[in-house]
Amino acid sequence: MRILLSNDDGYLAPGIQSLYQALKQHSAVSELVMIAPDRNRSAASNSLTLLDPLRIQQHDAQIYSVSGTPTDCVHLGINGALDYKPDMVISGINAGANMGDDVLYSGTVAAATEGRFLGKPSIAISLCGDQHFDTAAEVLVRLLADLHLQDLDNNTIININVPDLPLAQIKGILVTRLGRRHASEPVVKAQDPRGGKMFWIGPAGSAADAGEGTDFFAVEHGFVSITPLQIDLTNYMMLLKVNQWVENKW
């Protein structure tokens, strides 16, 4: 496999560095290149940089940083920055969970989504904390061993969330659906030194739909959560009702 590795925490983040080292030792990996943001771009979602040029800087033989978003990084890596096209995209390891509604904001998931948009199998992996990145790396290495034998749908993005535990304490793997959070907390108001108003985005809401079968439930009980995601956001159950609503409007 020729793997393009990216993230949203930046190329110096411990999660991507840990995963890079683990993948370098993987016998199935023939080419490995890291192309990641030059700084933390968490919650960048699927944004592309269109109004400014992107600059890429090489730090090691196979490590590059980009003055853009996670989506920019993967777009460059597949569409011309390399002299070959990677076989797949891996995004992570993120410091912090990407479960439930998080996937709409997540730069980690967005990097994998861009890979899928451009025709490559893609995986996003997050550690639900910031300590045991070696656990998450080992989980991914084990999953990669027979990934090439799996008949996964071409539109699928694999989203993995790993409890922040030593490997020996991981209870197993559960295939899950996305849970759902409560609305985020209110913005935090502040004042700059000149008396101007400032606002910080408030913390994410707590889990609302976290029952058995969800990603929240799996991680809370010590299991790795794997959720297959798809890009199509169409609400098919509402097509008939919306059609009836607009039927006589024109």
Side-chain angles (χ1 to χ4, degrees):
M1 291 183 290
R2 295 177 295 183
I3 293 177
L4 172 59
L5 179 61
S6 194
N7 73 347
D8 70 354
D9 290 333
Y11 78 102
L12 291 175
I16 197 170
Q17 292 290 334
S18 177
L19 186 52
Y20 180 78
Q21 295 302 323
L23 291 174
K24 279 178 65 174
Q25 310 303 319
H26 199 298
S27 60
V29 178
S30 59
E31 295 271 2
L32 175 64
V33 63
M34 179 199 301
I35 303 180
D38 59 4
R39 61 193 184 280
N40 192 317
R41 297 301 299 260
S42 294
S45 190
N46 297 86
S47 57
L48 272 174
T49 301
L50 300 179
L51 301 181
D52 297 294
L54 293 168
R55 302 186 184 278
I56 188 166
Q57 184 173 353
Q58 186 169 8
H59 302 277
D60 202 345
Q62 299 296 104
I63 297 179
Y64 301 85
S65 66
V66 173
S67 61
T69 67
T71 302
D72 291 330
C73 295
V74 173
H75 195 90
L76 288 177
I78 294 177
N79 272 349
L82 303 175
D83 57 7
Y84 66 90
K85 288 206 172 186
D87 298 316
M88 71 177 301
V89 173
I90 298 177
S91 178
I93 302 166
N94 190 64
N98 278 304
M99 301 186 293
D101 307 350
D102 300 343
V103 301
L104 297 176
Y105 301 100
S106 169
T108 305
V109 175
T113 301
E114 185 67 9
R116 185 63 273 167
F117 273 143
L118 297 174
K120 305 299 178 182
S122 298
I123 295 174
I125 181 165
S126 303
L127 179 69
C128 301
D130 58 9
Q131 298 298 313
H132 296 282
F133 291 108
D134 56 334
T135 297
E138 177 61 24
V139 167
L140 184 58
V141 166
R142 293 186 185 186
L143 290 170
L144 283 180
D146 62 351
L147 179 65
H148 63 290
L149 300 176
Q150 308 310 309
D151 184 22
L152 299 177
D153 185 277
N154 286 339
N155 292 317
T156 301
I157 302 154
I158 300 297
N159 187 39
I160 304 171
N161 282 277
V162 181
D164 195 8
L165 298 169
L167 187 63
Q169 295 181 26
I170 298 294
K171 295 180 180 178
I173 298 175
L174 295 178
V175 178
T176 63
R177 63 177 176 85
L178 293 178
R180 191 175 70 253
R181 291 189 184 276
H182 289 288
S184 62
E185 299 295 322
V187 297
V188 178
K189 298 178 182 179
Q191 191 176 68
D192 68 27
R194 298 187 178 183
K197 290 182 179 180
M198 299 191 307
F199 298 91
W200 290 94
I201 297 296
S206 58
D209 177 9
E212 190 169 356
T214 66
D215 44 10
F216 288 107
F217 182 92
V219 170
E220 178 67 23
H221 290 80
F223 291 87
V224 173
S225 163
I226 296 185
T227 307
L229 305 177
Q230 62 182 359
I231 296 168
D232 187 352
L233 299 179
T234 306
N235 187 341
Y236 289 96
M237 295 180 65
M238 288 297 296
L239 287 176
L240 179 59
K241 288 186 177 181
V242 174
N243 189 63
Q244 292 171 343
W245 169 42
V246 302
E247 189 172 12
N248 297 316
K249 293 294 189 293
W250 199 268

